[in-house]
């Protein structure tokens, strides 16, 4: 694998060529850039023909096509032979091709580069990945990066680091990062990526399974995209996605174990799949995993039926006949996997986020929310924690204000005196919506911080000729829920 000593000279060459996300995007243009996201390279090849360093690096590492040796030498001065010897490039007569993907990566903290295995399946070419394949930047890694809180912390853990994408993010706001994995090739690439991005003084890469490499240690922030694919744990294992444990045991283990490795006030954020039983609500089952030491926000973003799930991951592994897989073997794998899911009573598979906040509190929020949310969603996760704490103290003396992004929508028959439905809708964060009655709408509309909740309910009750005591009994808990869900907030202290 790549020796760390090559990281600094490679970084210098990438900088000299302006091999950054924005520069590559401008070179490719929108059409070719979108085509590449669909694993099609032809438009990009048509845009990168000038032989310059930026075009050469794009063709070599992103479009995965051979380039003239002279062009490679200009783009990577003094490095071609060294990269060939390290296995990152392969050289034939007059040409150089890539054996590893080197990809520019734009973050809010600046430009990064990520080295991983080559992208499989470009231009529909049949590609089978090996068991120790190291995945690069993916939709899952991007989702976790958008989910992860970015406050400054002393220590952070990237559990199952792969090529180290999350560790690179964590290094921008953590004094110390530990990154763990069991895949030796992934560990080597994670070390190289830390050095390539000049954060190797902050990132310590350790070999081992789950929390074993950090036994007895605690962290302020844990971020993990574990190998969560739900399978019978038989046959071939792709380490980047398959834990070796059946079902969703890997996710359950992480959720139950994480509090032992969190400091007080620390967070664990997990991107995961989980089983939805045929005869049990998904949130009821996952609630049994949640540790007492933590407040928990679980968001189910998507649900797949078992057949769709099996098809997704068989195609991901290159087993589908359309991508070169053996038709008979594909059917056998499909039947074995689907039969196992049915035997286990799996009615569906959920995908989403599990956020644990070690506070000693008891807030449990399990939300099914497949709708669009504001990205990055991390600030809304932090806001949820603040709102959960505020909601616990809402009472008749609490002064509440309506959050600025909340709008009211009404619907009903044309000409009707009163609306049939009133909906409060957030424009930011989770963009939650909640249907309310006329009393709640009236109270929320008057929440400007002047009157406390109790007197405000009394005033609304007087206007509507409703009993004040009963209104307080019914609507104070609802106001607390509106605070917890981010529609209202306590007035800031003067």
């Amino acid at each position: 694998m790549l020796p760390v000593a090559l990281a600094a000279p490679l970084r210098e060459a990438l900088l000299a060529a302006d091999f950054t996300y924005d520069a590559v995007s401008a070179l490719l243009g929108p059409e070719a850039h979108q085509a590449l996201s669909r694993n099609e390279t032809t438009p990009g090849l048509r845009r990168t023909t000038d032989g310059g360093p930026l075009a050469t690096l794009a063709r070599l590492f992103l479009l995965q096509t051979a380039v003239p040796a002279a062009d490679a030498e200009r783009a990577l001065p003094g490095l071609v032979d060294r990269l060939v010897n390290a296995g990152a490039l392969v050289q034939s007569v007059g040409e150089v091709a890539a054996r590893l993907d080197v990809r520019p990566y734009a973050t809010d903290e600046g430009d990064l580069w990520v080295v991983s295995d080559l992208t499989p399946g470009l231009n529909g070419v049949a590609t089978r990945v090996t068991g120790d394949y190291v995945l690069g930047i993916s939709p899952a890694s991007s989702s976790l990066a958008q989910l992860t809180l970015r406050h400054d912390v002393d220590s952070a853990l990237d559990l199952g680091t792969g090529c180290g994408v999350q560790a690179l993010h964590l290094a921008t706001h953590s004094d110390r990062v530990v990154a763990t994995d069991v895949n030796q090739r992934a560990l080597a690439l994670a070390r190289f990526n830390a050095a390539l991005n000049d954060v190797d003084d902050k990132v310590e890469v350790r070999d081992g399974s789950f929390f074993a490499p950090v036994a007895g240690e605690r962290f302020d922030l844990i971020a993990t995209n574990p190998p969560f694919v739900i399978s019978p744990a038989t046959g071939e294992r792709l380490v980047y996605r398959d834990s070796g444990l059946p079902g969703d045991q890997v996710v359950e283990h992480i959720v139950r174990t994480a509090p032992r490795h969190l400091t007080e006030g620390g967070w664990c954020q997990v991107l995961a799949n989980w089983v939805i039983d045929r005869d049990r609500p998904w949130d009821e089952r996952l609630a049994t995993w949640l540790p007492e030491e933590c407040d928990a926000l679980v968001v189910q973003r998507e649900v797949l039926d078992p057949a769709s799930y099996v098809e997704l991951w068989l195609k991901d592994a290159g087993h589908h006949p359309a991508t070169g897989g053996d038709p008979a073997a594909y059917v056998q794998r499909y039947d074995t996997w689907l039969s196992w899911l049915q035997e286990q009573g799996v009615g569906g598979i959920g995908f989403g986020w599990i956020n644990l906040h070690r506070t000693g509190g008891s807030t449990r929020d399990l939300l099914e929310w497949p709708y669009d949310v504001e990205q990055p969603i991390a600030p809304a996760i932090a806001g949820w924690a603040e709102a959960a704490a505020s909601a616990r103290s809402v009472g008749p003396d609490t002064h509440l204000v309506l959050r600025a992004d909340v709008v009211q929508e009404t619907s009903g028959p044309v000409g009707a005196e009163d609306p049939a439905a009133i909906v409060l809708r957030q424009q930011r964060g989770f963009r939650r919506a909640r249907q309310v009655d006329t009393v709640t709408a009236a109270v929320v509309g008057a929440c400007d911080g002047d009157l406390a909740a109790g007197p405000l309910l009394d005033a609304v009750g007087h206007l509507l000729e409703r009993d004040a005591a009963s209104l307080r009994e019914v609507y104070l808990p609802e106001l607390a829920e509106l605070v917890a869900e981010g529609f209202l907030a306590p007035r800031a202290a003067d």
Side-chain angles (χ1 to χ4, degrees), residues 32 44 49 60 68 124 147 152 154 165 214 269 276 333 364 387 401 424 428 464:
T49 58
L60 183 65
L147 175 68
D152 292 337
D154 292 331
V165 173
V214 294
Q269 298 183 272
I276 302 174
R333 288 186 177 96
R364 300 284 185 270
V401 294
L424 303 179
R428 304 201 61 186
L464 299 177

Side-chain angles (χ1 to χ4, degrees), residues 345-414:
V346 176
I349 292 91
F351 170 82
W353 315 322
I354 301 175
N355 301 274
L356 305 175
H357 188 205
R358 186 183 172 100
T359 60
S362 58
T363 298
R364 300 284 185 270
D365 196 353
L366 291 94
L367 172 68
E368 184 152 14
W369 198 249
Y371 312 107
D372 285 342
V373 299
E374 183 181 25
Q375 294 290 5
I377 194 61
I381 301 294
W384 166 84
E386 296 171 4
S390 297
R392 288 193 283 265
S393 60
V394 168
D397 298 325
T398 306
H399 292 254
L400 298 172
V401 294
L402 181 66
R403 290 188 179 268
D405 67 308
V406 177
V407 298
Q408 177 177 298
E409 301 173 355
T410 59
S411 61
V414 176

